[in-house]
Amino acid sequence: MPETAFPADSWEYSPYIPADPRAVTVSRHTLRTVLTVHGLVPLADTAELLASELVSNAVLHTKGPACLRLRYRDAVLQIGAWDADPEPPEPPHRLEEFGDAESGRGMALVRACSDVWHWQPLSRMGRRGKLVWCELKAG
């Protein structure tokens, strides 16, 4: 059996997704399948919400390809979305500041529902871009 780069209880998936609004639904289903296979179903509902917000931003607000990144290590699930726009995301406001607004609260949800969020410059497929990510602790 080939040696892996991660310990047995660590893993990473990075499916590339097209610039298509349907990619958000595909990403949610992919994430739920991965978490189910790895026995992390209790994280699935919150993780789906977070992935939806991150992938939505990557697909709807940038041009070009995107990538969903799921990484699990040391009982922490990291959910990220890479896109080809190198500009940083707008800092999220607090959810309370949105009142009855029907849009614009995606990163505020990420901030409110994750243990930590951040972004970093990252190149993929020969294109400059960024990775916006958040973490959920298991257990």
Side-chain angles (χ1 to χ4, degrees), residues 8-13 31-41 72:
D9 60 346
S10 298
W11 45 262
E12 183 174 331
Y13 295 85
L31 174 113
R32 184 165 288 272
T33 300
V34 168
L35 294 180
T36 299
V37 168
H38 287 285
L40 296 170
V41 173
Y72 186 77

Side-chain angles (χ1 to χ4, degrees), residues 48-117:
E48 273 189 37
L49 171 68
L50 297 169
S52 293
E53 296 302 334
L54 295 173
V55 171
S56 289
N57 285 345
V59 170
L60 299 176
H61 301 297
T62 65
K63 294 179 181 177
C67 179
L68 171 66
R69 185 170 101 174
L70 306 172
R71 184 182 206 178
Y72 186 77
R73 185 176 8 193
D74 300 326
V76 174
L77 175 64
Q78 186 182 77
I79 304 162
W82 172 85
D83 64 57
D85 180 2
E87 294 299 313
E90 290 289 322
H93 297 282
R94 297 202 177 278
L95 277 176
E96 304 82 41
E97 296 175 27
F98 285 93
D100 292 335
E102 293 185 20
S103 65
R105 52 175 89 195
M107 286 306 295
L109 282 168
V110 170
R111 176 183 180 179
C113 296
S114 65
D115 295 311
V116 66
W117 82 275

